[in-house]
Amino acid sequence: MSTNRTFTMIKPDAVANGHIGAIINDITAAGFKIIALKYTKLTEETAGKFYEVHKGRPFYTDLVTFMSSGPIVAAILEKDNAIEDFRKLIGATNPADAAEGTIRNKYANSIEANAVHGSDSDENAAIEGDFFFTAAERF
Ligand code: GDP
């Protein structure tokens, strides 16, 4: 059953390039409600754990280094059909393939530094939200 929730991160590239406000505006304008929000920084250890599912892929080490290179914004978002609608809003993993007007099309630099994360399933949204937020941090 759908939870109507997804998890996102504004990645270090988009934070460094000054896009936090614009991205949050795009997210709320698309109808997502912010349930939890945090400005924080991953360590190599926590980034490695978050992306453990990609361990063994050739880009894993680079991805962990990139994701721990600067602060990020983490958030839990709520909307009907949240997972699918958010993936549509952010666009394809590679910004070169991301549809016009999507967040990655507007703010991303490369397939790695691609501005935002979006959960790919209800199950992962719950796991990823729990990674960053306690129950008391959700509203
Ligand atoms: P997503 O669900 O669209 O974020 O894509 P994936 O789950 O497949 O990959 C997770 C993250 O790994 C992506 O958002 C990128 O930051 C990074 N990534 C994916 N594919 C590649 C790749 O081929 N090369 C590099 N350097 N990074 C990648």
Side-chain angles (χ1 to χ4, degrees):
M1 201 187 82
S2 170
T3 59
N4 291 333
R5 288 192 177 185
T6 190
F7 169 81
T8 189
M9 272 189 280
I10 302 176
K11 296 187 181 184
D13 60 311
V15 171
N17 292 329
H19 298 313
I20 293 175
I23 290 173
I24 290 179
N25 190 55
D26 282 2
I27 290 171
T28 53
F32 291 87
K33 181 184 172 205
I34 294 171
I35 300 297
L37 187 68
K38 188 173 283 186
Y39 186 47
T40 186
K41 187 171 181 291
L42 292 164
T43 63
E44 288 213 0
E45 194 188 347
T46 51
K49 215 175 265 176
F50 185 88
Y51 282 108
E52 206 150 37
V53 35
H54 293 305
K55 213 171 180 168
R57 288 173 83 177
F59 58 83
Y60 176 75
T61 307
D62 279 351
L63 178 61
V64 167
T65 301
F66 163 63
M67 286 302 299
S68 55
S69 66
I72 58 103
V73 175
I76 296 172
L77 306 171
E78 188 172 81
K79 182 184 182 296
D80 285 349
N81 203 33
I83 298 288
E84 200 181 317
D85 285 2
F86 194 73
R87 299 284 301 189
K88 246 183 237 161
L89 179 68
I90 67 178
T93 306
N94 187 345
D97 302 327
E100 189 72 28
T102 59
I103 290 175
R104 283 169 168 166
N105 167 256
K106 291 196 284 185
Y107 308 115
N109 302 314
S110 71
I111 191 166
E112 179 175 87
N114 61 0
V116 281
H117 169 81
S119 305
D120 62 5
S121 65
D122 289 322
E123 189 193 3
N124 283 336
I127 293 168
E128 292 168 0
D130 289 348
F131 195 90
F132 284 90
F133 298 103
T134 65
E137 292 174 317
R138 303 167 194 222
F139 305 99

